[in-house]
Amino acid sequence: MNTTNNHKEQAIKATYVSLLANTCLALLKGITGVFGNSYALIADAIESTTDIFASFLVLIGFKYSTKPPDENHPYGHGKLEPLITFIVVGFLIISASIIAFESIKHIYTPHKVPEPYTLIILGFVIVSKEIFYRFVSKKSDETKSTSLKADAWHHRSDAITSLMAFLGISLALYMGKGYEAADDWAALFASGIIIFNAYLIFRPALGEIMDEHFYDDLVKDIRDVAANVDGIIDTEKCFIRKAGMDLYVDLHIIVDGEISVKEGHQIAHNLKDKLKEEYPEIADVLVHVEPKKA
């Protein structure tokens, strides 16, 4: 199995885990929030519901973005992945806005103190969501997937929202009358954290769309590999861009100006093959051959 297909399978499995987790926890939090008089938990359930749709979009994105190149898309379909990430970020912003709006409304609406058992549910949710975050984040690092990273941050945002709710409800229960809205203030604070996390997810996806340079360490490694290929005297330009889970490299090499075109072509191919062998995430290498200046 090639690396791209392996990464695709890992990413799809991780997304299915996210879908199942978000569905179960959204139901648990929503039901507990309604019967336990906690808007912070209801807000948490709203955030988890948007996570379900976000994970579903990520799944669709994987199935399309990893399709091989075709006549109309010679560089493949990988650029769809950051576009999906933008949509997922949009879901985060929408859910945070809903939570903030409803929290402010509930702050000014008299209501009962949340039931103590809501803390047990929140404790379970916080631990579960942090576990899911670490699992999906690890898979995103392995597959170099920005949309999977966004999906992982949905879990972390959910854990943060639940933690804020836990603190707010604890304060309301401990302080008693007059502090009924503590969990609403906690939900409002959590919405701000979600917005900030949305930016952290959005920034690298935008960089991917703009072919921004993020790969200083890999450039150094590529130059080191090239230095050990017979016939290569030095390297000049080295550009790397990302499309989905794949990397594309443009590299200029310097060779002896007296060798034949055929020899220069073979040297370039030797380098390309070696780079793809040592770095499976590299889908293609475009090598430009320069003669050494006299």
Side-chain angles (χ1 to χ4, degrees), residues 11-289:
I12 289 175
K13 286 178 181 177
T15 307
Y16 275 125
V17 170
S18 288
L19 275 168
L20 180 61
N22 288 328
T23 301
C24 293
L25 291 176
L27 289 171
L28 177 63
K29 289 186 287 189
I31 293 170
T32 306
V34 170
F35 289 100
N37 302 318
S38 172
Y39 180 69
L41 255 177
I42 296 173
D44 219 355
I46 293 171
E47 208 269 335
S48 289
T49 301
T50 63
D51 288 352
I52 296 170
F53 291 105
S55 294
F56 185 69
L57 281 173
V58 171
L59 186 61
I60 294 174
F62 283 140
K63 290 183 179 294
Y64 187 82
S65 65
T66 53
K67 288 175 62 178
D70 56 34
E71 185 176 348
N72 293 324
H73 305 89
Y75 293 101
H77 303 76
K79 289 295 185 183
L80 179 68
E81 194 184 348
L83 295 178
I84 291 293
T85 303
F86 293 157
I87 299 174
V88 173
V89 167
F91 273 110
L92 272 175
I93 294 173
I94 290 170
S95 63
S97 300
I98 292 172
I99 290 170
F101 176 78
E102 293 295 331
S103 296
I104 293 171
K105 187 170 73 174
H106 278 72
I107 287 171
Y108 293 101
T109 303
H111 56 79
K112 298 179 182 178
V113 174
E115 297 291 340
Y117 65 78
T118 57
L119 293 177
I120 298 174
I121 300 301
L122 280 167
F124 172 76
V125 169
I126 292 167
V127 174
S128 299
K129 276 296 187 175
E130 184 62 22
I131 290 172
F132 288 128
Y133 164 75
R134 292 176 184 274
F135 169 74
V136 179
S137 183
K138 181 181 178 183
K139 293 299 180 183
S140 73
D141 291 337
E142 292 174 355
T143 60
K144 312 298 181 185
S145 168
T146 54
S147 59
L148 198 58
K149 177 66 74 175
D151 205 31
W153 267 102
H154 266 283
H155 289 295
R156 172 57 66 82
S157 296
D158 219 353
I160 292 170
T161 308
S162 297
L163 177 60
M164 293 300 102
F166 186 94
L167 295 175
I169 292 172
S170 297
L171 180 62
L173 289 170
Y174 180 75
M175 299 300 292
K177 188 173 177 59
Y179 287 83
E180 295 88 350
D183 71 321
D184 300 314
W185 281 104
L188 181 60
F189 181 73
S191 68
I193 296 176
I194 293 171
I195 291 290
F196 178 68
N197 286 334
Y199 169 76
L200 295 180
I201 298 165
F202 171 80
R203 185 64 187 85
L206 177 64
E208 185 174 331
I209 286 287
M210 298 296 292
D211 290 331
E212 191 171 346
H213 179 70
F214 293 118
Y215 310 100
D216 285 329
D217 290 341
L218 183 55
V219 167
K220 181 179 181 303
D221 291 342
I222 287 172
R223 294 191 190 280
D224 289 342
V225 170
N228 292 309
V229 173
D230 290 341
I232 296 179
I233 299 172
D234 200 357
T235 54
E236 287 188 336
K237 298 176 184 177
C238 183
F239 302 132
I240 301 173
R241 55 193 172 87
K242 187 171 182 288
M245 300 179 196
D246 296 325
L247 297 177
Y248 292 84
V249 179
D250 295 331
L251 178 63
H252 288 211
I253 62 172
I254 299 174
V255 300
D256 185 349
E258 300 300 318
I259 64 174
S260 67
V261 172
K262 184 176 180 180
E263 288 175 307
H265 178 76
Q266 186 59 53
I267 291 170
H269 263 287
N270 292 343
L271 173 59
K272 177 178 178 178
D273 293 342
K274 190 169 182 61
L275 286 173
K276 292 182 69 174
E277 178 184 349
E278 294 200 16
Y279 302 96
E281 64 270 27
I282 295 178
D284 195 20
V285 184
L286 179 62
V287 183
H288 179 79
V289 180

